[in-house]
Every structure is written in C-alpha cells, then in structure tokens.
Amino acid sequence: MPTHFQNFIDGHWCDSSDGRTFENRNPANWNEILGTFPLSIKQDVDRATQAALEAFRQWRFVPAPERGNILRKAGDIMVRRKNEIAAIMTREMGKPLTETKGDVQEGIDTAFYSATEGRRLFGINTPSELPNKMNLSFRVPIGVCGLITPWNFPMAIPSWNIFPGLVAGNTFVFKPAEDTPWTANVLAEILIEAGLPKGCLNIVHGAGAVVGAAITEHPDIRAVSFTGSTSTGAIVARACGERTKHVCLEMGGKNAQIVMADADLDLAIEGVLWGAFGTTGQRCTATSRLILHEKIHDEMVERLARQASKLRLGDGLDAKTDVGPIINEKQRKNIERYVKIGKEEGANCMLGGEVASIGNLKNGWFFQPTIFTDVTPEMRIAKEEIFGPVLSVLKCRSLEEAIEINNSVQYGLSSSIYTRDINVAMQAARDIEAGITYINAATIGAEAHMPFGGVKGTGNGHREGGWAVFDFYTEWKSVYIDYSGKLQRAQIDV
Ligand code: UN1
C-alpha cells in the first residue's frame, strides 16, 4: 500500500471532503507510486480560507521581526533536512540530487533573507506641505494570499512566496503542483516545527481546474501568486481581474544565449550545456535558443553537439546522471510534438530528437538532449516555449541582429550574452527585453536576494525574490499626523 498523504488545514492533516485521491509517481520509474494525495474540492479551499482568515486576525499583530524568527528557525530545519528533502524531491520530480539540493538551498537562502527582512520592512516618511504635521507611510499585510505553484522547483518557488509573504504578515492557501505534492507537505512540516501558528499556512492538494479555480474565485483571498504556463496564467489573471484581486504572474520563457565572435567559446559551451539541458530544460529560465555569431557558428555547434551527446541520462538518485526524466507523459508528448514541428519547418535536427527508452530508462519519461540548427526566427521552435531539452540554434551577423532576434519573441524572462567586449555587454544589458540578463553566464541560476521575473508575455510587472517581492505581498498605508490643533486644509491653506 502506498503511503497516504493529506491536506494541511488549520493546523491539522486531513483528507479531502469527498475522500478522493490521486497518485504521485516517480518520473524516472513510472511503476513506483510514492504516495496518494487528496484530490480536493471547493469545500476544502473554503475551509482552508476560513482557517487562513482567522489566523490572519492574530498573525498580523505579531511583530515582523518575531515573524522573521520563525523563518530563521525554518531555515535551520531545512539545513538539517537538506539531503533528505532533496532525495524526496528527486524521486517525485526527477532532477538529479545536485539540482534538488540546489532547489532546497534556494529555499534556505530565502528563509534567511526573509527572516532578516522582518527588521527591514522600511516605510518612507516625508515632510508635510503644512506646518505641525507629519507624513508617514508603511507596509501592511494584504490578508489571505492564494499560491499556485509548478512542479519544476517544488521547494524554491513555494518558499520564495510563502516566506516573504508570512514575514509581511499574510497567511496562505497553497495549492502545489499535482506532480510534486510531497515536497509541499515537507514544507508544512518544517514550518510546524519552526513554530508557525495554525492556519497561517494551509495546503490543499488537487487539480488546477478545481482547487486552483476555487482559490482565484474565493472572495476572501485577496492576492494570488501563480507560476506556470502563459495560457493558465491568462485564466488566473481573468478570474482575479474580475474580482479586483492582486495577482502576480510568472509565466513562460524562450530564453536565448547570445555568443559573439570574441567570446570564450569553452565558457560559452559550458554555459549552454547547463542552461539548455540542466533540469532537462524544464526551467522557465532554461536556454531554449542559442544565437551564434556567424564567425563562430560552425565551430561552436560542432563542439557543443559533441559534448551534449556525452550527457548521461538516468535516475536523478544515481550520482552519474547528468539529465533526469521529463516530469510526465503529457510533457514528453508535447516535446515529441515540437520536434516533429521543427523537422516539418525545415530545421536540421542534428542531435537527439527521440524518446530515450533503452535499458534502465525504459520505465521513465526520458528524452534525448536535442539540438536543432538552421533555425530561423519565424519558426515555431524559435518562438514557442517547449519546456524540455530542446535547443534551437540561430545565426546572427551583428550584435544588433542578435538583440533583434532575442527580442522577437513574446516572452522576456532570462537572457545571456558571451563576449569579452564590455561595451557590447553593456549595450546588450540595456537593450535585451528580459527581466534578467547574464553576462558570460548561463540563463539559469537566479539568486534568492535579487528580483526575479520577466517582461512582456512572461509576467505582469511584479517580481519575486529579494526586496521586490515585498511590493507584491504588502499594501502601502499612508498616515498623516496633524499636531497643529487646528483644521489645516491641504492644497488650500498653503
Ligand atoms: C524557474 O525556472 O521556474 O534562475 C525558476 C533559476 C532558478 C529558478 C528557476 N534559480 O534558474
């Protein structure tokens, strides 16, 4: 019998109201059932929201530095449990242990950063335009926040919302991805041990169309943070817009690495191998386009393909594995579909392009690292997010052309340029349309204390991470203190 896991509502572990469940399976070995989880319904979201609302009435009065202390303890617990959590995450998500340890580390970094931010939730004071009057402004929590997260960073993405959100004084109703529900329950265990009061974090497992929808529609949930596909993000945005809820959207990417003729090619090859095939290409920040200057194009492609062909596919628990499985069958089918589209469009599939199912790969959702050359900007494989180990290589003749190709897609999350020329690097940093630009580094690897998010079709103007995330998780309160003892009329008695 697989282990049965539960929702976490009002400080208690509980089943869904109608008792139904779904299975959590290992993508590297589909026959392995890791556990069953509640397939929840709207009533469960209602109960969780009620608990979060009641908890908020107390939690908002706890001083922010004290709220931060709980996060510091959570960080300590995560340090202690890091290897164990990474192993759980590798089993349910598939990426290699080195990467799942990095995912937990991103949570740890966020915990410690958020903890100290409890002492730094700065407001702004300004002079008043009237005498004997003082103007203050400070941040206040919003209330109950809904959180809908994807499966590719099961600890980092929930952490970088929940931790700052809690420090700011909010409470949460959290729906984790159905492919990675176990890591979410571990996060609840950590916060319970750290001393988080009941009701401050509630977890409701289940389908996006049911639980996610109930979160976006619940009148007592005042803010929703969503990370996932642009198509689902549009549904979330519409539901929240109709109800005037705050909404933070982190959606697709079609990130490019540009390599100029003067670049250090060894470094650029290492960067693209990591950016395109790390996490099996399943990051919003993954490198899915490589824009090469024509002078180094042939050499770089040839060397890159040689090295990419040596990447070892396998179970992420095996220390020799470089590239883990695709998360599930549906995603792998989608990747296969895009490879077919690329071939039909006339691109040259010069490496991979096939499902990998030999030997110990046969029971998992593996796909070969794939490189397309002769890709032109109008092809679908140059424009659409594939979310897998598929790299499209394009050619350019100048920096201007490289930037034009980079900016020709609807997305704008991450980007990268390899060059030894500081002027070229700075021009690219200024003109590339993306929330993040790396110079002489891969498109992946954002740090927890920096703003994270994208422009154009990737986001809606908010940022996660660092100090910027507090703009989403707080409201501004302006306070005017008149100590003149008489009526002073702004704009009139001046
Ligand atoms: C994501 O792909 O959804 O910058 C998040 C990175 C990681 C986070 C990725 N720190 O690649």
Side-chain angles (χ1 to χ4, degrees):
M1 273 291 279
T3 313
H4 176 57
F5 293 85
Q6 294 180 300
N7 287 335
F8 185 62
I9 298 176
D10 204 16
H12 302 288
W13 296 101
C14 53
D15 290 328
S16 84
S17 302
D18 69 358
R20 289 201 299 152
T21 59
F22 66 94
E23 286 169 348
N24 179 18
R25 289 177 183 246
N26 180 346
N29 176 11
W30 201 242
N31 297 324
E32 188 189 357
I33 301 174
L34 303 172
T36 58
F37 286 80
L39 190 63
S40 309
I41 56 176
K42 182 178 170 298
Q43 279 85 328
D44 301 310
V45 172
D46 291 346
R47 283 181 45 231
T49 308
Q50 190 53 35
L53 197 59
E54 273 160 33
F56 175 66
R57 296 196 177 112
Q58 309 299 322
W59 184 241
R60 75 189 184 94
F61 293 129
V62 176
E66 213 176 296
R67 296 194 292 245
N69 279 340
I70 293 176
L71 271 299
R72 188 176 45 71
K73 285 188 198 132
D76 287 339
I77 297 163
M78 289 167 89
V79 170
R80 192 188 79 216
R81 294 186 63 181
K82 182 172 172 181
N83 291 342
E84 175 216 343
I85 303 167
I88 289 172
M89 200 192 297
T90 291
R91 288 175 69 200
E92 70 172 352
M93 189 276 166
K95 59 188 175 185
L97 275 176
T98 42
E99 292 192 30
T100 48
K101 282 184 200 159
D103 193 323
V104 180
Q105 187 59 46
E106 211 162 337
I108 294 168
D109 295 342
T110 306
F112 292 139
Y113 181 83
S114 302
T116 57
E117 203 62 32
R119 292 188 180 272
R120 233 179 357 241
L121 285 173
F122 296 133
I124 297 171
N125 300 343
T126 69
S128 167
E129 63 189 39
L130 290 158
N132 299 318
K133 196 176 167 195
M134 191 183 201
N135 296 353
L136 314 177
S137 59
F138 49 86
R139 294 178 185 275
V140 291
I142 303 169
V144 181
C145 300
L147 176 62
I148 304 169
T149 57
W151 43 263
N152 64 340
F153 277 82
M155 184 58 86
I157 294 178
S159 304
W160 77 41
N161 282 277
I162 292 169
F163 294 172
L166 286 174
V167 168
N170 304 288
T171 57
F172 278 90
V173 177
F174 168 32
K175 188 208 99 63
E178 291 140 274
D179 289 295
T180 52
W182 190 358
T183 308
N185 278 20
V186 172
L187 180 57
E189 288 167 19
I190 291 163
L191 286 165
I192 298 166
E193 189 184 337
L196 186 72
K198 73 181 175 91
C200 289
L201 172 66
N202 303 275
I203 299 182
V204 184
H205 292 287
V210 179
V211 177
I215 287 174
T216 59
E217 288 163 13
H218 199 295
D220 291 330
I221 295 181
R222 293 307 315 145
V224 176
S225 173
F226 167 83
T227 302
S229 71
T230 299
S231 52
T232 306
I235 299 169
V236 170
R238 208 169 302 125
C240 292
E242 280 168 7
R243 294 164 180 83
T244 62
K245 290 184 191 206
H246 300 205
V247 58
C248 174
L249 302 171
E250 283 303 336
M251 301 176 289
K254 190 71 190 174
N255 317 293
Q257 174 177 319
I258 299 170
V259 184
M260 300 305 290
D262 69 338
D264 177 338
L265 287 198
D266 294 332
L267 196 63
I269 290 168
E270 257 188 303
V272 67
L273 282 169
W274 174 227
F277 304 123
T279 326
T280 325
Q282 301 173 109
R283 296 197 189 206
C284 331
T285 53
T287 309
S288 54
R289 294 181 295 158
L290 180 64
I291 305 174
L292 298 179
H293 194 280
E294 58 180 1
K295 283 199 190 131
I296 46 96
H297 177 277
D298 295 355
E299 182 192 347
M300 172 117 178
V301 162
E302 196 259 318
R303 288 175 57 189
L304 171 65
R306 205 167 345 117
Q307 295 203 31
S309 69
K310 290 189 202 139
L311 293 170
R312 283 163 306 201
L313 270 66
D315 187 326
L317 292 178
D318 181 345
K320 290 193 289 294
T321 295
D322 297 309
V323 180
I326 306 301
I327 189 69
N328 58 36
E329 187 179 19
K330 186 165 164 257
Q331 283 295 123
R332 189 170 72 172
K333 284 220 164 85
N334 194 44
I335 295 164
E336 283 186 82
R337 187 170 67 86
Y338 269 108
V339 168
K340 193 160 164 277
I341 290 170
K343 288 178 180 166
E344 281 164 9
E345 287 178 311
N348 170 31
C349 185
M350 55 104 62
L351 185 79
E354 305 280 341
V355 158
S357 57
I358 308 164
N360 61 351
L361 305 182
K362 68 176 184 303
N363 292 325
W365 307 121
F366 293 92
F367 199 87
Q368 295 170 344
T370 298
I371 301 176
F372 275 102
T373 54
D374 300 328
V375 178
T376 52
E378 61 294 340
M379 289 182 186
R380 287 181 65 191
I381 59 163
K383 291 196 293 206
E384 297 174 21
E385 184 174 51
I386 301 174
F387 227 69
V390 181
L391 180 69
S392 298
V393 185
L394 298 103
K395 207 184 266 186
C396 70
R397 280 165 306 225
S398 65
L399 174 67
E400 286 68 27
E401 194 188 0
I403 292 175
E404 195 184 311
I405 296 171
N406 184 90
N407 293 353
S408 66
V409 296
Q410 62 156 321
Y411 301 111
L413 180 55
S414 190
S415 56
S416 145
I417 182 160
Y418 282 74
T419 176
R420 289 185 167 105
D421 185 332
I422 184 73
N423 297 352
V424 166
M426 290 311 295
Q427 199 178 322
R430 185 192 60 198
D431 295 340
I432 285 176
E433 292 171 353
I436 305 168
T437 296
Y438 290 91
I439 294 164
N440 293 326
T443 61
I444 67 179
E447 300 176 22
H449 60 292
M450 289 282 281
F452 181 89
V455 302
K456 302 199 293 190
T458 295
N460 65 336
H462 292 290
R463 290 291 181 271
E464 295 170 302
W467 61 96
V469 70
F470 291 94
D471 289 335
F472 180 69
Y473 280 110
T474 55
E475 302 257 26
W476 280 104
K477 168 63 77 72
S478 296
V479 177
Y480 298 92
I481 307 165
D482 191 320
Y483 54 98
S484 69
K486 59 182 187 209
L487 174 68
Q488 298 198 89
R489 297 173 301 175
Q491 293 90 39
I492 296 168
D493 298 330
V494 284

